[in-house]
Amino acid sequence: MKIIQDYTQKELLELVKPSFRAKQIWGWIYHKYAKSFDEMGNLPKDLKEQLSNEYTLSPLEIVMAQKSSDGSIKYLFRLHDGHTVEAVLLLMRDEEYHEDGAVKHQKRYTVCISSQVGCKVGCAFCLTAKGGFVRNLTAGEIVSQLLVIKRENDIDANRRLNIVYMGMGEPLDNLDNVAKSVAIFADPDGIAISPNRQTISTSGLSAKIEKLGKLDLGVNLAISLHAVDDELREKLMPINKAYNIASIIDAVKQFPVNQRKRVMFEYLVMRDVNDDISAAKKLISLLDGIKAKINLIYFNDFEGSEFKRPTEKSMIEFQDYLNKRGQLCTIRESKGLDISAACGQLREQNI
Ligand code: SAH
Ligand code: SF4
């Protein structure tokens, strides 16, 4: 069965004639979150039948949804072949009201999505890596994660939100499908989330960062750096043997960054491994000449893990050191910590 969300609007226009029918179907998928072709009331019966025989609208089934005390919700989805992936709806800011009860600020959401079942990169601290690599997700399977989350939470079709490719898998190891999903998300007649609200996070496949840059999609780039010297980085992230820190920095310098944006460097902090101030010092020189923002992440513990969560004190000292030297640095709030929101953790409990 083919997945209808695998097609861009342009491709759907080739597939279904006359073109106004294709546009109606597009609207049913992306604005009305239709679950079946039968629901598409304004389509002729035989077209609905023909589509139902060939295509599915629901490539994902919810296995589980876990709500965290901060309002974030983590989803476990089953794909048509039985494998599972995760996505998380992160509530970044709750609704705020004026005194008269009128809405002052709407809720602000970020959706974290997966790009692969498992991952080939094999980072030592990552639970996704433990299950090995199974397969790439198709563009439609990537897009559907967001669609199902919007449908389940009654989020308006035209509602702005941010997308981060920070779930399971290495997005640049599945670049074609990820690039296609970026375009489908951005389609102004559909979900309409501009690429500058989409962030692709990578473990640092330098050659693919270059390739992504050449595609000039307008997406934001996040680099999972986690270590400032090659020796430690190789231990944490074996991919560093193929693409060392210098090659990543080079690739980032070539990357087309939106003038108002910065490249995000994620730094997963593990106690007594990479939380020393000497690392912060090295970060400053490493990122010299790059419009960068550093995001410190608390290591999220899991059973059998060889690493430990850092102390709050060491996080703040690390951040202060950088901020005082003019390097923008934030500490990622541990959204959904009580539902083990770090990638791979929900899936691991259930397989
Ligand atoms: N493969 C890509 C994107 C998915 S991983 C990448 O590595 O960038 C997304 C983020 O989750 C990465 O920054 C990764 O370091 C982080 N992560 C993995 N395991 C974690 C854990 N146990 N605790 C906290 N964050 C973790
Ligand atoms: Fe893959 Fe990212 Fe996990 Fe590393 S941190 S194993 S690249 S998903």
Side-chain angles (χ1 to χ4, degrees), residues 125-126 165-167 169-171 201-203 224 226 266 268 297-300 302 342-343 345:
F125 48 79
C126 174
Y165 290 78
M166 291 185 188
E170 167 51 54
S201 173
T202 177
S203 54
S224 290
H226 311 329
E266 292 160 284
L268 180 64
I297 310 168
Y298 279 96
F299 172 73
N300 209 354
F302 54 86
C343 65
Q345 302 201 348

Side-chain angles (χ1 to χ4, degrees), residues 7-13 22-23 26-27 30-31 143 146 150 157-158 163 179-195 198:
Y7 301 87
T8 61
Q9 185 179 189
K10 199 165 158 238
E11 287 169 345
L12 197 68
L13 285 162
K23 292 214 178 254
W26 191 262
Y30 294 105
H31 287 166
V143 167
L146 180 72
K150 285 181 82 176
N158 57 7
I163 298 174
K180 194 172 188 185
S181 67
V182 169
I184 297 174
F185 283 137
D187 188 319
D189 297 331
I191 295 174
I193 297 175
S194 134
Q198 303 186 41

Side-chain angles (χ1 to χ4, degrees), residues 123-170:
C123 301
F125 48 79
C126 174
L127 209 47
T128 299
K130 305 270 180 247
F133 173 74
V134 179
R135 70 168 173 90
N136 284 331
L137 295 187
T138 71
E141 288 169 331
I142 297 172
V143 167
S144 295
Q145 296 170 48
L146 180 72
L147 272 182
V148 173
I149 286 179
K150 285 181 82 176
R151 182 203 290 141
E152 286 296 306
N153 293 279
D154 291 323
I155 300 175
D156 272 355
N158 57 7
R159 190 48 201 285
R160 267 207 212 151
L161 45 82
N162 296 320
I163 298 174
V164 292
Y165 290 78
M166 291 185 188
M168 299 169 68
E170 167 51 54

